[in-house]
Amino acid sequence: MEKYRTVLNLVLKQHATLGYGFLALATAGGEQIFSVVVFNCPCNSWNFAYSMVFLLVPALVLFLLGYFISSRTWKLCTGCCINQVKHSSKIIICRGIKIFVQITVGALVAPITWISVALLNGTFSECGMCGYYNEYLLQTLCNNKSSDCQSNFFKLPCGHSTLPLPIQEDILLTIRAQSQVLGWSLIAAIVVFALTSTCILRCYSPVSFLQLQFWKTYKEKENELFEQRSEEHAKELAERNLKSFFESEEPQEIKTPSRAAWEEISLLYSFSRTEEYYSTIHKYADRKADNTRTSSSTIHMDVPAVLDFVDGNKNSVDSHV
């Protein structure tokens, strides 16, 4: 039982990484299905356009879906056109741009996987390059080959060319090799970029490694409890209202956060070394406690400034952008 519990804890801690990994595998599997079942090279002047559509349009759709399914996107956008607070400060605007970049990086996982796997597979490249009429490309691939090579170039993916079979295989192998080199180069570039950007971000992190781990644990627990309390409170409020409606009774008083409170915990925030908050709810709770003490005392107390803690790339509830 302890072994299963250890595995479960590991999955819960690494659920974001595992989620991206599963997304990449699902995208790679989808590309393989598309290239085998759906893709059928026309072997005419439409070769290049047809291949580019299969290569780029699914990648674009996956990229846009990455924005659509991210709750952080909607938290960032909701109310920004009418809420003056969300765009009244340069700091908040810069913070919003930073979070938008983080969302974009997460949305790029699926399309980059699609393009990389497609390049490694080479099916789209073979069809597309055989329909791309470029003088240098034709001379390079048809060098020292039959005089009919260029005129039969677009027919190669379908095997309808009149060229000898060894020449056809040689040209297609060259195109596939170039495509795979490009695919591995893209993967290497992405890995180098990810490693470099992570190192730079960690280098300029305002908190230590252990405090960062604690913050991640806190956010996971707060998100989990926020979901539970929201569901419980919504259920209690719904039951009260329905009971009042059907039984014609005066509704019992249930304390619900005000609209201003919801707006406050939905705002962007920035980190300060003097005052540390682990989330907007943490900030709200401390400010409310300070206001309560201030109202019950004649001593004036300054309200803590808006702070920031390094925003995580979780997509679960994302209740704290």
Side-chain angles (χ1 to χ4, degrees), residues 33-312:
I33 295 175
F34 261 71
S35 62
V36 174
V37 179
V38 181
F39 185 80
N40 189 15
C41 187
C43 294
N44 53 34
S45 59
W46 279 88
N47 281 16
F48 183 74
Y50 184 80
S51 299
M52 289 303 100
V53 166
F54 270 82
L55 179 66
L56 300 179
V57 172
L60 177 61
V61 172
L62 290 171
F63 178 63
L64 296 178
L65 282 177
Y67 282 117
F68 186 78
I69 64 176
S70 173
S71 59
R72 301 178 74 203
T73 302
W74 305 117
K75 181 177 181 183
L76 185 64
C77 298
T78 301
C80 63
C81 294
I82 61 175
N83 191 343
Q84 297 295 325
V85 179
K86 285 193 173 184
H87 49 78
S88 60
S89 170
K90 291 183 178 180
I91 297 178
I92 293 180
I93 293 175
C94 293
R95 182 62 177 166
I97 293 174
K98 178 182 177 182
I99 294 175
F100 179 77
V101 171
Q102 293 174 350
I103 298 172
T104 302
V105 171
L108 283 172
V109 173
I112 289 178
T113 302
W114 176 276
I115 294 175
S116 299
V117 174
L119 291 173
L120 292 176
N121 190 19
T123 304
F124 300 160
S125 299
E126 288 180 358
C127 181
M129 296 307 293
C130 289
Y132 180 66
Y133 291 96
N134 179 276
E135 193 66 26
Y136 176 77
L137 175 66
L138 292 175
Q139 291 179 358
T140 301
L141 295 176
C142 293
N143 187 29
N144 297 326
K145 294 180 176 65
S146 174
S147 58
D148 297 333
C149 177
Q150 295 187 15
S151 61
N152 287 271
F153 202 59
F154 64 88
K155 299 179 181 179
L156 289 175
C158 300
H160 298 160
S161 174
T162 58
L163 294 173
L165 186 59
I167 295 180
Q168 295 184 42
E169 293 179 350
D170 181 60
I171 294 175
L172 293 177
L173 285 175
T174 302
I175 295 175
R176 178 165 295 193
Q178 294 174 349
S179 175
Q180 291 177 343
V181 168
L182 185 60
W184 281 116
S185 299
L186 177 61
I187 293 174
I190 295 301
V191 171
V192 171
F193 173 78
L195 179 60
T196 303
S197 59
T198 302
C199 290
I200 293 175
L201 290 175
R202 290 301 179 94
C203 182
Y204 285 95
S205 174
V207 297
S208 64
F209 176 78
L210 292 179
Q211 188 176 6
L212 182 62
Q213 295 298 111
F214 171 79
W215 170 77
K216 289 180 178 179
T217 303
Y218 170 85
K219 287 211 40 169
E220 290 175 359
K221 295 299 181 181
E222 186 182 75
N223 288 339
E224 180 182 345
L225 293 174
F226 184 85
E227 282 187 340
Q228 294 177 0
R229 292 298 299 272
S230 295
E231 185 176 353
E232 292 172 359
H233 193 80
K235 180 180 179 181
E236 182 181 0
L237 184 61
E239 288 177 345
R240 185 208 68 166
N241 294 336
L242 291 173
K243 182 178 180 181
S244 174
F245 174 76
F246 285 107
E247 299 180 7
S248 300
E249 296 180 354
E250 285 292 328
Q252 299 178 354
E253 182 180 0
I254 297 179
K255 293 184 178 181
T256 303
S258 64
R259 181 170 178 268
W262 286 108
E263 289 287 348
E264 187 170 348
I265 67 170
S266 299
L267 293 176
L268 309 177
Y269 57 101
S270 301
F271 177 77
S272 172
R273 294 181 182 274
T274 57
E275 301 283 347
E276 299 179 5
Y277 294 125
Y278 295 105
S279 69
T280 49
I281 293 182
H282 185 190
K283 177 173 88 69
Y284 173 81
D286 280 3
R287 288 186 60 180
K288 188 173 182 179
D290 289 341
N291 291 336
T292 301
R293 287 193 293 267
T294 301
S295 61
S296 61
S297 174
T298 58
I299 301 177
H300 175 72
M301 298 178 64
D302 294 331
V303 179
V306 176
L307 305 176
D308 172 58
F309 212 80
V310 185
D311 193 14

